[in-house]
Amino acid sequence: MIELLNVQKEFGSFTAVKNLDLNIKQGEFLTLLGPSGCGKTTTLRMIAGFETPTSGEILMDGVSLLAKQPYERNLNTVFQSYALFPHMTVWDNVAFGLRMHRVPRNEIAQRVKAALEMVQLPEFGDRLPRQLSGGQQQRVAIARAVVNRPRVLLLDEPLGALDLKMRKQMQLELKHLQRHLGITFVYVTHDQEEALIMSDRIGVMHAGVLEQIGTPDEIYERPATAFVADFIGETNLLPATVGQANGSSVLLEMGDLRLRVPTAGNLASGQHVTVAIRPEHLTLGPANGLTRSSPNGEDDQLEVTLIERIYAGPVVKTVVRLQTGKDVLITDSTGRDIPFKEGDRAMLKFAVGKVVILRER
Amino acid sequence: MSGEEQSRTTQEEKRRRNWVPVWTLAPVSLWMVLFVAVPLLLVLMVSFTKRGTYGGIVYEFTLENYARFFDPLYFTVMSNSLLVALLTTVACILVGYPFAYIVARSPRRYRNLLLMLIIIPFWSSSLIRTYSWIVLLRTEGVINNVLLSAGLIHEPLALLYNLGAVIVGMTYTLFPFMVLPLYASIEKLDCSLLEAARDLGARPWQVFRRVTLPLTMPGITAGSLLVFIPTLGLFFISDLMGGSRTMMISNLIQNQFLTARNWPFGAALSVILMIMTLILIGLYLRSTGSKEKLEVV
């Protein structure tokens, strides 16, 4: 529905967004995720019309948005700071957009009432924004935007100012609201957990570049780049060499480790790559007594030294050191006891199919 | 130490501590009493006395001086003053608001420079600056000469010695008092509120009317007060630029004290002016105090 074609935004000599191609689908909850300064807010502001791209095109239903002023675009924004008008009551804030569009008076009354009921603040119409809590202000900001029935709602870190508990609650409320209204949401956040919980699709941005776009599980399970793998959840990034490559899969070599990994890209034999594996996809076994079976030239284990065990509530984290000197993180559920102590030697077992070869930037 | 003793010592400590603010305030209080309260009381007292035959003061209670103010002649002077003050304030808003807006929205590193540009002229005497306006505006002045030699006019315009000239002089002199509070309130304005208004469908004019203007109203009110009140009291500008026909309340007071030597009447006029000013300040305080209840849309 909204297409960004080769969009670039420069502020002086700084490039905030580089060659961005993005296709936002009708009715989806799309999150732009990335650290501060990655260009996600700039992207949102270009869609809203507050910034003009240096080059490139933004289309809505095939029609260019660039010539249109913000007030001519059929979309609304929920701002990070809420940007509620401090001199107007909650009611007047919510009615503002309708009044600007010259909606008949009785329809305004009806729609504002419905919007305030939707965000569970029907009794708060007479209050001023400063008389509300952060969470309530947040709801008013959402009501003020959706009351206009936009085709797209743009949300710029709308939960950033709330405390953790409120944020968790609002995450679910927002997701339910989006399902209920069927409006396309474009959501900007730096909180990876929030992105994973709420989104239909996540676009991960870094230094102005869209690194990967996909469903939450694609992003988590099959990160495309080292940045994505590292930014979303915890991960181990390990150097490896491509052994023999044969069409749809390659044999990865890492010390004694020989792993067959499916790949879509063209990798040449002898090429150095970086692979990612999540801490929960690694397990420890005893160093001896285990038969090191390698029927078809594969071996999913490496000999390691246990460095540290850390209790972290629901999981226990274990740090082990490879023979190359690199530290690797393992997590298991609490309660599964491992018969090792610090300094012991053990075998590190890689879950087959969970090793991901990362794209070089 | 018993509880009673303890409470007594803390009470003593409290009493001793309470003297500290009194002593630190003493110099200021003394200053205020000597140079503000006493002169004001003297003016108030004189306003109720009679004028001596040769200009002295006869200490005899009378309300005559106040009654005299309601003479239509002085009433015209007062309404003239109020008109000039009002027009000056409006002119200051019309010129000052765009200026303050541009300064507040320009890159941060230029802001202080731009503000300095309006403040620097005020390091020289306002009397000198008023004379330079006369050089510009008089019949053989710079403006008339330029227009004449350009062939735009055929005879000099009467730019000086009228109400318009007084308003120009007043506006110029009091301009910074309007710009600075305006700048402060516009600079504080959150840009995301303007973006929110645009996002919700407001055209530029509507953004200004519905959001910018109401939110910068405190600056406008403060600036108006800072311009309006001094305009009532400034006498040399109307004296120098207004000619003989435009008498303002400030000129009248000056006249009574210095020329007519009627101190009691001058004092009464001063008291009336002061009361009017206080009423204005009171109205201002009430409007800012009750802003929470003000509804704009």
Side-chain angles (χ1 to χ4, degrees):
Chain A
M1 181 173 73
I2 292 184
E3 279 174 282
L4 282 78
L5 303 172
N6 204 18
V7 168
Q8 180 118 353
K9 178 66 185 179
E10 289 155 20
F11 295 104
S13 60
F14 172 72
T15 307
V17 176
K18 277 181 208 152
N19 301 325
L20 177 68
D21 282 306
L22 181 64
N23 191 354
I24 302 163
K25 296 176 198 158
Q26 171 83 48
E28 77 172 331
F29 195 127
L30 177 79
T31 298
L32 294 174
L33 174 68
S36 60
C38 72
K40 56 190 193 300
T41 295
T42 306
T43 305
L44 197 78
R45 290 173 59 81
M46 284 193 287
I47 300 173
F50 300 133
E51 305 283 356
T52 313
T54 310
S55 64
E57 180 62 272
I58 300 175
L59 302 173
M60 187 166 177
D61 301 323
V63 182
S64 176
L65 278 182
L66 295 184
K68 293 187 177 178
Q69 291 295 315
Y71 56 79
E72 296 168 317
R73 303 182 181 199
N74 194 359
L75 35 82
N76 285 111
T77 308
V78 176
F79 292 84
Q80 187 170 12
S81 56
Y82 315 143
L84 296 176
F85 304 122
H87 57 297
M88 296 182 200
T89 61
V90 166
W91 181 279
D92 289 327
N93 263 283
V94 177
F96 189 88
L98 299 176
R99 284 179 178 150
M100 289 301 113
H101 287 108
R102 303 193 185 288
V103 173
R105 191 175 286 268
N106 52 351
E107 191 189 334
I108 291 180
Q110 227 173 350
R111 278 166 73 173
V112 171
K113 188 165 175 280
L116 286 176
E117 273 165 12
M118 181 193 72
V119 295
Q120 297 156 37
L121 293 171
E123 310 295 323
F124 287 70
D126 296 333
R127 304 264 192 108
L128 285 171
R130 67 168 160 277
Q131 296 166 324
L132 303 181
S133 71
Q136 290 167 336
Q137 290 184 28
Q138 170 66 68
R139 286 160 205 249
V140 175
I142 290 165
R144 186 178 68 171
V146 299
V147 76
N148 302 292
R149 297 179 189 150
R151 305 247 346 251
V152 183
L153 193 63
L154 308 172
L155 302 102
D156 184 8
E157 307 228 8
L159 308 182
L162 301 180
D163 61 57
L164 185 66
K165 200 171 171 200
M166 196 66 196
R167 200 154 69 219
K168 300 246 177 208
Q169 187 192 335
M170 286 301 291
Q171 284 170 0
L172 292 176
E173 273 185 36
L174 269 178
K175 192 174 167 68
H176 296 156
L177 186 70
Q178 191 261 344
R179 293 255 171 84
H180 170 70
L181 295 169
I183 298 177
T184 309
F185 273 36
V186 183
Y187 190 96
V188 159
T189 184
H190 63 267
D191 183 336
Q192 42 113 354
E193 191 191 335
E194 196 165 290
L196 291 172
I197 289 173
M198 299 172 79
S199 319
D200 294 323
R201 283 200 304 159
I202 300 173
V204 184
M205 291 187 74
H206 173 50
V209 174
L210 183 66
E211 296 250 332
Q212 186 178 4
I213 184 157
T215 60
D217 61 300
E218 276 169 7
I219 297 281
Y220 187 81
E221 299 289 343
R222 311 215 63 81
T225 65
F227 176 80
V228 176
D230 202 33
F231 190 72
I232 311 227
E234 285 179 308
T235 200
N236 294 298
L237 298 176
L238 300 166
T241 314
V242 178
Q244 39 163 280
N246 91 28
S248 62
S249 70
V250 294
L251 195 67
L252 279 179
E253 297 177 1
M254 193 193 312
D256 292 337
L257 191 75
R258 299 272 181 283
L259 274 182
R260 185 151 289 279
V261 175
T263 171
N266 301 320
L267 293 169
S269 184
Q271 192 177 338
H272 296 285
V273 292
T274 304
V275 299
I277 182 146
R278 299 274 174 203
E280 64 266 31
H281 296 143
L282 293 166
T283 44
L284 279 181
N288 41 24
L290 217 148
T291 47
R292 311 235 358 223
S293 61
S294 37
N296 38 17
E298 288 187 45
D299 188 344
D300 60 358
Q301 297 182 40
L302 268 178
E303 195 173 336
V304 294
T305 312
L306 196 144
I307 303 293
E308 201 175 13
R309 297 264 293 160
I310 306 152
Y311 177 80
V315 295
V316 177
K317 302 185 174 191
T318 310
V319 181
V320 297
R321 186 160 293 164
L322 303 183
Q323 279 162 339
T324 57
K326 192 165 171 56
D327 285 352
V328 171
L329 181 71
I330 308 165
T331 54
D332 352 52
S333 317
T334 307
R336 272 209 310 182
D337 207 24
I338 303 179
F340 301 107
K341 55 183 191 300
E342 288 168 18
D344 280 356
R345 299 169 78 72
M347 295 306 288
L348 178 67
K349 187 173 158 64
F350 287 65
V352 180
K354 297 297 186 185
V355 177
V356 180
I357 302 173
L358 300 174
R359 192 178 72 214
E360 298 295 320
R361 285 194 70 189
Chain B
M1 198 190 279
S2 74
E4 205 176 310
E5 260 178 284
Q6 203 171 352
S7 77
R8 198 185 305 146
T9 40
T10 52
Q11 263 179 2
E12 261 168 38
E13 265 172 28
K14 206 182 278 171
R15 210 174 299 146
R16 210 174 306 144
R17 249 204 325 272
N18 282 349
W19 280 105
V20 175
V22 174
W23 283 118
T24 50
L25 281 174
V28 182
S29 314
L30 194 69
W31 175 277
M32 294 297 281
V33 167
L34 274 181
F35 297 107
V36 179
V38 170
L40 281 178
L41 283 173
L42 280 176
V43 169
L44 189 67
M45 194 186 78
V46 170
S47 75
F48 291 109
T49 60
K50 279 185 174 167
R51 178 190 181 223
T53 324
Y54 302 105
I57 298 164
V58 178
Y59 292 96
E60 204 176 304
F61 180 82
T62 176
L63 288 171
E64 212 175 275
N65 300 310
Y66 289 94
R68 199 178 156 198
F69 173 74
F70 292 96
D71 186 302
L73 177 71
Y74 301 123
F75 204 74
T76 314
V77 169
M78 195 65 199
S79 55
N80 236 349
S81 290
L82 289 174
L83 183 71
V84 167
L86 187 72
L87 291 176
T88 301
T89 309
V90 171
C92 277
I93 293 173
L94 290 181
V95 182
Y97 201 99
F99 182 87
Y101 196 90
I102 290 165
V103 174
R105 288 284 169 264
S106 60
R108 194 168 286 276
R109 62 180 181 279
Y110 297 128
R111 282 186 211 164
N112 283 337
L113 183 75
L114 287 168
L115 283 180
M116 280 306 274
L117 285 180
I118 54 162
I119 292 165
I120 284 171
F122 293 85
W123 291 350
S124 65
S125 155
S126 56
L127 203 57
I128 291 169
R129 283 179 286 119
T130 305
Y131 273 113
S132 50
W133 268 108
I134 295 174
V135 172
L136 285 173
L137 293 177
R138 68 181 176 199
T139 318
E140 308 87 37
V142 176
I143 292 175
N144 271 322
N145 277 340
V146 168
L147 290 176
L148 278 173
S149 56
L152 289 169
I153 53 170
H154 299 294
E155 53 190 83
L157 302 171
L159 297 172
L160 203 55
Y161 307 125
N162 53 39
L163 217 58
V166 176
I167 291 167
V168 167
M170 294 276 194
T171 304
Y172 172 73
T173 306
L174 296 165
F175 186 63
F177 295 95
M178 179 59 82
V179 165
L180 294 177
L182 276 179
Y183 168 79
S185 69
I186 295 171
E187 203 233 352
K188 250 191 339 204
L189 189 65
D190 183 356
C191 276
S192 67
L193 293 177
L194 307 183
E195 283 180 352
R198 289 206 294 159
D199 186 76
L200 291 166
R203 305 246 179 321
W205 164 248
Q206 290 170 316
V207 175
F208 178 75
R209 205 179 95 47
R210 304 275 180 185
V211 182
T212 313
L213 194 61
L215 288 177
T216 51
M217 203 39 105
I220 297 177
T221 337
S224 299
L225 208 66
L226 289 176
V227 169
F228 193 88
I229 291 170
T231 308
L232 290 175
L234 275 178
F235 60 86
F236 66 89
I237 291 174
S238 48
D239 214 24
L240 293 172
M241 298 179 76
S244 50
R245 279 172 302 162
T246 44
M247 168 78 79
M248 307 234 322
I249 185 81
S250 49
N251 301 110
L252 187 60
I253 294 171
Q254 182 210 9
N255 251 324
Q256 294 307 314
F257 276 100
L258 301 180
T259 317
R261 309 269 305 148
N262 189 345
W263 285 30
F265 184 48
L269 290 172
S270 299
V271 170
I272 290 168
L273 188 60
M274 247 183 300
I275 289 170
M276 281 181 44
T277 310
L278 283 174
I279 290 172
L280 281 173
I281 293 175
L283 286 176
Y284 165 72
L285 289 177
R286 247 186 62 185
S287 80
T288 50
S290 62
K291 191 156 318 106
E292 294 184 359
K293 288 169 210 143
L294 276 184
E295 240 188 284
V296 181
V297 174

